[in-house]
């Protein structure tokens, strides 16, 4: 096990500025959503609710990976790496985007508007008044 995978190693710090969204992000989300729609055994409201509940399952897998990387379950010991945690967090993000796309065909615009709202709410005061926190 490398030092970066050791249970006591914190995750790597995020880069100063994140890279742009990968090309084809929303096209990939659309393709995944279409695939899931074609393969789902349950349609209608129940199918929609199950798609939303998938988020909880994915978040649970993040929790399981964190427990595993820290060795908090003495019966199992250290079972995961920080790479596993990062991968599970990516699964949550993808599942959320697919869920949003399921709820609206305008998912890219809805997400962009919401991101701008959160960015302005969270970072706007800092930009206009350096003393505001």
């Amino acid at each position: 096990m490398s030092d970066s995978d050791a249970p006591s190693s914190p995750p790597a710090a995020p880069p100063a500025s994140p890279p742009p969204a990968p090309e084809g992000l929303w096209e990939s989300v659309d393709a995944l959503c279409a695939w899931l729609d074609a393969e789902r055994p349950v349609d209608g409201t129940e199918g929609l609710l199950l798609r939303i509940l998938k988020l909880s399952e994915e978040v649970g897998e993040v929790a399981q990976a964190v427990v595993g990387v820290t060795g908090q379950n003495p019966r199992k010991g250290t079972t995961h790496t920080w790479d596993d945690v990062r991968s599970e967090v990516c699964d949550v993000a993808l599942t959320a985007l697919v869920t949003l796309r399921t709820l609206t065909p305008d998912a890219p615009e809805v997400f962009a508007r919401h991101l701008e709202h959160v960015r302005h709410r969270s970072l706007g005061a800092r930009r206009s008044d350096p003393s505001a926190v």
Side-chain angles (χ1 to χ4, degrees), residues 73-95:
N73 184 337
R75 185 174 55 82
K76 294 182 179 179
T78 302
T79 58
H80 291 73
T81 67
W82 284 109
D83 282 342
D84 294 329
V85 175
R86 287 185 280 272
S87 178
E88 295 298 346
V89 170
C90 287
D91 286 349
V92 170
L94 285 170
T95 301

Side-chain angles (χ1 to χ4, degrees), residues 2-40:
S2 71
D3 286 347
S4 65
D5 291 337
S8 61
S9 297
S17 81
E23 287 190 42
L25 173 67
W26 287 106
E27 291 82 3
S28 296
V29 168
D30 284 344
L32 289 167
C33 194
W35 171 68
L36 289 168
D37 287 347
E39 297 294 325
R40 72 175 162 211

